[in-house]
């Protein structure tokens, strides 16, 4: 298991890696570009070199980039739908150059057209994206809370998207603990069963990354509000089960909790402490 957190790339990709390592990280996540804007900073050869050196020096596990929030591959509006595809193609290429393993993507919102419409629209958009791209970076569909008209808040919806995408390229899944809980899954009381269900519907081999966040809102609330570990309604015990679960040991685990870098340092230490030392090891032990 590789424990890390969401980092800013304001000072560059290499600095983000060094920063994550300094606070105990073995991996990280960052936005591929400004999460609300659409203009991307050009990645230069020197950025690629410095980033790759930093990753090697700090022996990082798989890194997760996150696509901007504004992308909506389920949008009924063609301009929005096509913009999302264009940005994904660009970011797959940009992240591929860096050697970033994954891009987590919110599948999209159907804005009133219905879940089935949304699923088909996303799958058709993703098919086009993958057709255009020769990047090795893998897109991970993120499990969503189901707020508003979000698609992808059940394992069945995610599976349907994956099945409808026409491409030989791999698609994976990023499991967000807060979102899955808010969607109504018993991750707090019966993680084994939830993972069994995931395995039966999607297949655990598709699970490539975890977002580890507590939730400010109740189970099934469909609200996406992250809380600090142990300060939300999911409880510390839930996260103990996540970090110690035998089926999750090869994955990068990324915190997206409030409070900035000092908080991340504290929560990375907390997660490491939660691990049952005798049986399981993190990379740093
Ligand atoms: Fe996300
Ligand atoms: Fe997330
Ligand atoms: Zn969230």
């Amino acid at each position: 298991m590789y424990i890390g957190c969401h980092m800013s790339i304001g000072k560059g990709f290499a600095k983000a890696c060094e920063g994550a390592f300094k606070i105990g990280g073995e991996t990280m996540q960052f936005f591929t570009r400004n999460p609300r804007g659409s203009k991307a900073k050009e990645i230069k050869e020197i950025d690629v070199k410095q980033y790759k050196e930093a990753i090697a020096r700090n022996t990082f596990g798989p890194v997760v980039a996150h696509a901007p929030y504004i992308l909506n591959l389920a949008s009924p509006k063609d301009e929005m739908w096509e913009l999302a595809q264009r940005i994904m193609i660009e970011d797959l290429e940009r992240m591929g150059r860096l050697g970033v393993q994954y891009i987590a993507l919110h599948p999209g919102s159907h804005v009133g057209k219905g879940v089935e419409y949304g699923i088909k629209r996303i799958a058709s958009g993703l098919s086009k994206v993958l057709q255009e791209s020769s990047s090795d970076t893998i897109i991970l569909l993120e499990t969503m809370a189901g707020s508003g008209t979000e698609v992808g808040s059940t394992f069945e919806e995610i599976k349907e998207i994956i099945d409808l995408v026409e491409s030989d390229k791999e698609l994976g899944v990023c499991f967000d603990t807060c979102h899955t809980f808010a969607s109504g899954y018993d991750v707090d009381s019966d993680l084994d069963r939830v993972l069994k269900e995931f395995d039966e519907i999607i297949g655990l081999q598709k699970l490539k990354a975890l977002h580890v966040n507590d939730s400010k809102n109740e189970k099934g609330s469909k609200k996406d509000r992250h809380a600090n570990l142990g300060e939300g309604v999911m409880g510390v015990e839930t996260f103990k089960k996540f970090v110690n679960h035998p089926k999750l040991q090869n994955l990068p685990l990324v915190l997206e909790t409030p409070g900035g870098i000092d908080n991340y340092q504290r929560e990375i230490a907390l997660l490491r402490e939660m691990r049952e030392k005798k049986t399981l090891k993190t990379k740093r032990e």
Side-chain angles (χ1 to χ4, degrees), residues 109-263:
S109 293
H110 62 73
V111 295
K113 288 277 215 168
V115 175
E116 278 313 308
Y117 172 90
I119 287 170
K120 290 195 182 110
R121 189 77 160 160
I122 294 162
S124 135
L126 281 175
S127 303
K128 288 174 194 281
V129 167
L130 293 175
Q131 218 161 55
E132 294 283 315
S133 167
S134 54
S135 172
D136 289 330
T137 302
I138 295 170
I139 298 175
L140 307 184
L141 298 171
E142 183 166 346
T143 61
M144 302 308 290
S147 64
T149 63
E150 263 170 11
V151 181
S153 63
T154 65
F155 300 155
E156 285 84 356
E157 288 174 19
I158 302 256
K159 165 70 172 167
E160 247 194 277
I161 297 170
I162 293 173
D163 281 352
L164 285 173
V165 169
E166 287 173 44
S167 172
D168 297 335
K169 290 200 191 104
E170 192 182 4
L171 277 173
V173 178
C174 173
F175 187 112
D176 188 306
T177 60
C178 163
H179 299 175
T180 313
F181 177 78
S183 168
Y185 287 94
D186 293 323
V187 287
D188 56 334
S189 54
D190 201 349
L191 180 60
D192 275 331
R193 221 201 62 227
V194 174
L195 290 179
K196 192 163 172 272
E197 200 178 323
F198 186 102
D199 194 28
E200 283 164 4
I201 296 169
I202 302 175
L204 272 175
Q205 75 284 357
K206 293 266 181 221
L207 180 55
K208 305 292 188 191
L210 290 171
H211 285 169
V212 174
N213 308 303
D214 206 330
S215 171
K216 287 202 168 135
N217 294 98
E218 305 294 297
K219 179 154 64 183
S221 64
K222 316 281 180 202
K223 288 196 183 112
D224 180 4
R225 297 280 309 282
H226 301 183
N228 292 108
L229 303 187
E231 291 171 31
V233 290
M234 293 175 68
V236 159
E237 288 307 310
T238 300
F239 299 102
K240 260 191 200 155
K241 285 180 212 145
F242 268 100
V243 291
N244 290 299
H245 202 286
K247 299 248 160 90
L248 305 176
Q249 293 311 307
N250 301 324
L251 303 178
L253 183 158
V254 178
L255 288 155
E256 300 175 310
T257 48
I261 204 83
D262 289 342
N263 174 72

